[in-house]
Each structure stands twice: as C-alpha cells, then as structure tokens.
C-alpha cells in the first residue's frame, strides 16, 4: 500500500470502461472479502444484522456542509438517509447489539471532489452496542479493523505479490490522542487548526500522514458533532466520542461515540443546535418511553477499501461512483 501523494485521479472513465478496468475488479474483490470478514467478526461478537430504512421523516443532521436530500413520500417530505444512527439506536429495543451495511446519501460540498475521500453516495457499516460506553465501542472498532485485515491480507499478498502494509500490528492497541492533542500536533506541523471545531479535511489528512498506524482521536468539543454524541458529565463541553484515522494520509475511516439517550437531554441538545424538535417526533417518542444507553460507530466501506488497497481516490472503490458534482449513473 502506498500513501496518496498526488492529486486524486479525476473520474473520467465511462461507466463501461470503469467496470471493465482490472483496478475496479481487484478493488471490488477486495471489498467483498472485507465485508465477509466484517460480518463474520460482528456475528462472532454477538451482533445481529438488521436492514435499515433508506427513507424516513428525519435523518442524521450531518455536518461539514453536506446537504440532505428531500423526497415526496405520499405528500409528505421525507429524507434519504445520510446515516442510520437514529434507527440503530431505536433497534436496541429489539436486540442489544446490532449492525447494518447500508447506502448513505449526502450532497457533499463541491470542494470535496478534490479531497480523495468523499462520495455523494457511499455505504457504511453501522454498529451499535447497548449498555456500553465509548471504550467498548472503540474495542469493537479496533477488533473489526483487525479482523478485516486478517482476512484481506493473505488474499492481497497472493493477488499482488506484495504485503498489505497498512495492516495493523496483531495484538497492539491503536494509538489514542485527544482532540486537544491532535490540534497541538497539527499546529506544530504548521496547520492552523481551530481548537473549537472538528478537524478540517486538510488537517485530517496531514495528521493521518504523521501516523505510524491507525489511531483514535477522542473528546471532540461540544458543537463539533451531532446532538446524539453524549456530553461528558464530568467535563461539560466535551463529548464522549471518537474518530479512527488511518495512517498514510488516508484520513478518517470511522466515527463514533457514546449516545445521548435521555429524552430531556436530547431535546435540549437538539434545541442547542438550532433544529426544530418537531422534526424528530418519532425518535423523541421512542426516547420518552425509554431506550438503553449505548455506544457505536460507522465505518465507511469504500473508504476502508481505498485504504486497504492503497487507491488514489475513494471513487475507485465503487462500482458506480458518485463524486460530488459529477453526473454519473
């Protein structure tokens, strides 16, 4: 695997040429093995796979300028899912450990076409663990990444004659740093990262290039993420959440954290973000009646495939890529 140093290769192939490309064939074969490994690992950890909705009255509010897509659902304004986070939380009423593999649609800003790692339509492995905190979610995330590489690595070496050099060291815990520590590292590298916001795309890539292996970034400031990430009761203004960054400049693979699950706290957090709580009526009704505390994460399938295969851009890991602003079938 090599780090992406040059600007991403633009999507210029016709759909036919892309599907006939040996690179596409290899990437999709790798993706198939990675997904098989992910399902096997999660089932072994006691998770149940459920099929999430693709449309609903509300979805993850998202961030970083991405827009939601409205559709007409029998005269009602519904949304295409940007992620299934609210639904997997509710699914804990049925099972105490759930996961999904599902498409997400986010109208990313046009400038993200040049970041190597954004698609307007992508797939995500979403995981939620009932009665769990952040550390358990991080343990599952690390185990999932290692299990995926364990299945993928021998196949890749046989296919290419070279080792998958992004493979995590067996049994070695991933590095951890707080958001404050990540900001300090970026500022030392000359990047003017705002300490009060989510790490920006350029900073994320710079930090990723400076890593020796996968690393967790924890404790993002309140306001940088959605209302569902739990605020630390002992440290007001700090969230009990995390990102997982890949080394080599490949950036964020996974985001997660503990969830707010108490009705009044979630209602307050929604209002703090300036959103109308009425939009979240069904979700708030579920919370009012009570759901378990939980923690979870989402891992981008195409992003992980790009990282594992050392691809220049995330669109190369999709059979039918939707690059922001580029018309495609």
């Amino acid at each position: 695997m090599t780090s992406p140093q040059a600007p991403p290769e633009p999507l210029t192939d016709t759909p036919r040429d892309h599907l006939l490309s040996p690179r596409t064939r290899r990437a999709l074969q790798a993706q198939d093995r990675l997904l098989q490994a992910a399902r096997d690992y999660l089932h072994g950890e006691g998770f149940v796979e459920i099929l999430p909705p693709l449309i609903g009255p509300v979805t993850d509010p998202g961030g970083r300028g991405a827009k939601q897509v409205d559709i007409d659902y029998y005269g009602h304004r519904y949304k295409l899912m940007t992620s299934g986070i609210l639904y997997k939380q509710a699914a804990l009423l049925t099972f105490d450990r759930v996961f999904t593999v599902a498409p997400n649609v986010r109208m990313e800003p046009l400038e993200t076409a040049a970041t190597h790692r954004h698609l307007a339509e992508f797939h995500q492995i979403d995981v939620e663990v009932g009665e769990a905190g952040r550390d358990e979610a991080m343990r599952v995330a690390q185990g999932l990444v290692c299990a995926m590489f364990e299945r993928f690595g021998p196949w890749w070496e046989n296919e290419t004659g070279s080792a998958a050099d992004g493979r995590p060291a067996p049994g070695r815990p991933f590095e951890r740093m707080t958001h404050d520590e990540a900001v300090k590292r970026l500022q030392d590298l000359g990047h003017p990262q705002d300490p009060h916001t989510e790490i920006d795309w350029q900073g994320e890539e710079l930090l990723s290039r400076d890593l020796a292996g996968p690393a967790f970034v924890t404790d993002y400031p309140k306001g940088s993420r959605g209302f569902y990430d739990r605020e630390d009761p002992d440290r007001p203004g700090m969230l009990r959440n995390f990102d997982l960054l890949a080394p080599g400049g490949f950036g964020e693979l996974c985001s997660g954290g503990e969830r707010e699950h108490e009705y009044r706290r979630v209602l307050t957090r929604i209002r703090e973000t300036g959103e109308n709580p009425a939009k979240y009526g069904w979700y708030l009704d579920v919370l009012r009646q009570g759901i378990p505390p939980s923690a979870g994460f989402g891992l981008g399938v195409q992003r992980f495939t790009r990282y594992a295969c050392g691809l220049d851009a995330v669109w190369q890991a999709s059979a039918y890529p939707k690059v922001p602003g580029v018309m495609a079938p």
Side-chain angles (χ1 to χ4, degrees):
M1 185 185 73
T2 58
S3 300
Q5 300 293 337
E9 182 178 336
L11 175 56
T12 56
D13 289 349
T14 67
R16 177 181 171 82
D17 288 343
H18 177 62
L19 290 169
L20 285 171
S21 166
R23 178 184 62 199
T24 302
R25 177 182 174 85
R26 180 177 291 171
L28 296 182
Q29 286 178 310
Q31 194 170 95
D32 176 60
R33 282 158 176 79
L34 291 167
L35 284 170
Q36 287 181 47
R39 285 188 163 100
D40 287 348
Y41 170 78
L42 291 169
H43 284 141
E45 287 282 317
F47 287 86
V48 176
E49 182 173 5
I50 62 171
L51 301 178
L54 299 181
I55 61 172
V58 70
T59 185
D60 176 354
R64 296 200 189 194
K67 295 180 180 179
Q68 300 173 2
V69 178
D70 292 337
I71 66 166
D72 185 311
Y73 183 69
Y74 300 102
H76 297 272
R77 180 180 291 181
Y78 267 44
K79 307 284 186 182
L80 295 182
M81 289 296 110
T82 60
S83 91
I85 183 169
L86 307 183
Y87 291 89
K88 66 178 182 175
Q89 250 190 299
L92 294 174
L93 294 170
T94 307
F95 302 106
D96 60 4
R97 291 182 161 223
V98 298
F99 78 96
T100 70
V101 181
N104 295 175
V105 178
R106 299 178 188 176
M107 293 296 99
E108 299 282 3
L110 291 177
E111 59 266 27
T112 62
T115 65
H116 315 265
R117 52 191 189 276
H118 286 86
L119 293 171
E121 178 186 72
F122 62 97
H123 290 73
Q124 188 158 277
I125 302 171
D126 254 308
V127 176
E128 199 71 14
V129 192
E131 303 291 348
R134 180 180 64 186
D135 285 349
E136 173 64 5
M138 292 170 71
R139 183 195 69 79
V140 173
Q142 175 167 334
L144 177 61
V145 168
C146 291
M148 291 168 78
F149 262 103
E150 186 175 353
R151 177 80 60 86
F152 165 81
W155 174 84
W156 180 258
E157 186 168 354
N158 182 66
E159 185 78 8
T160 67
S162 60
D165 60 1
R167 183 176 181 175
R172 181 181 300 172
F174 291 175
E175 179 186 358
R176 294 191 184 193
M177 70 185 89
T178 66
H179 179 271
D180 286 346
E181 291 168 340
V183 169
K184 174 68 164 54
R185 286 172 72 160
L186 285 170
Q187 291 174 344
D188 289 345
L189 291 169
H191 181 70
Q193 174 64 46
D194 185 338
H196 305 294
T197 65
E198 192 166 21
I199 296 171
D200 59 44
W201 294 313
Q202 184 183 1
E204 185 183 280
E205 185 165 341
L206 284 170
L207 186 60
S208 175
R209 288 189 190 282
D210 200 43
L211 297 175
F216 288 112
V217 180
T218 65
D219 303 319
Y220 281 74
K222 184 180 176 183
S224 66
R225 292 291 172 87
F227 61 78
Y228 39 76
D229 278 1
R230 182 170 180 253
E231 186 175 6
D232 193 322
D234 298 323
R235 296 181 297 166
M238 197 77 69
L239 298 176
R240 295 276 300 166
N241 63 357
F242 64 89
D243 275 359
L244 177 60
L245 303 185
F250 289 95
E252 179 231 309
L253 297 174
C254 168
S255 287
E258 289 181 26
R259 311 304 185 195
E260 296 285 11
H261 68 284
E262 298 174 6
Y263 169 76
R264 293 189 181 280
R265 288 187 58 81
V266 172
L267 189 62
T268 298
R269 291 285 301 279
I270 290 175
R271 287 171 172 158
E272 286 175 350
T273 65
E275 292 223 54
N276 180 3
K279 290 169 47 180
Y280 298 90
W282 78 265
Y283 175 67
L284 290 171
D285 284 345
V286 170
L287 295 183
R288 187 185 292 110
Q289 296 173 62
I291 64 171
S294 67
F297 59 88
L299 183 147
V301 175
Q302 285 88 352
R303 282 189 181 184
F304 197 96
T305 305
R306 179 200 173 214
Y307 162 51
C309 297
L311 299 172
D312 293 327
V314 70
W315 69 262
Q316 295 168 348
S318 176
Y320 304 99
K322 302 293 193 302
V323 176
V326 178
M327 299 302 100

